[in-house]
């Protein structure tokens, strides 16, 4: 699984490179994941907890995940 990620605070999110990792938790059953329910646009809950190959733990929603293997060639 891959997702955009960068530790560079100066790099815009739409320019983050893809980082590889493993999903370690699914929070879909944890209750309210709708951002409107929180009345804020910061520190919002995300569906997936992902352990990146570089050791970082990040949280993402489904639309931020790419499960395609970059080393696989389509025949």
């Amino acid at each position: 699984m891959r997702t955009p990620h960068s530790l560079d605070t100066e790099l815009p999110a739409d320019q983050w490179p893809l980082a590889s990792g493993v999903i370690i938790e699914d929070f879909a059953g944890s209750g309210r994941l709708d951002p409107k329910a929180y009345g804020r646009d910061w520190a919002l809950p995300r569906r997936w907890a992902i352990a990146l190959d570089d050791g970082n733990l990040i949280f993402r929603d489904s639309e931020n995940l790419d499960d395609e293997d970059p080393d696989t060639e389509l025949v």
Side-chain angles (χ1 to χ4, degrees), residues 18-39:
L18 290 176
S20 296
V22 176
I23 294 174
I24 58 171
E25 188 67 52
D26 179 359
F27 293 105
S30 298
R32 301 178 347 188
L33 291 177
D34 180 10
K36 296 175 193 164
Y38 291 90

Side-chain angles (χ1 to χ4, degrees), residues 3 7 12 22 26-27 30-31 36 41 46 48 51-53 59-60 62 69-70 72 74:
T3 187
L7 296 176
V22 176
D26 179 359
F27 293 105
S30 298
K36 296 175 193 164
D41 61 357
R46 304 291 180 213
W48 305 104
L52 294 179
D53 294 346
F59 300 88
R60 295 289 189 265
S62 296
D69 184 348
T72 302
L74 298 176

Side-chain angles (χ1 to χ4, degrees), residues 5 21 57-58 62:
H5 179 68
L57 175 64
I58 62 172
S62 296

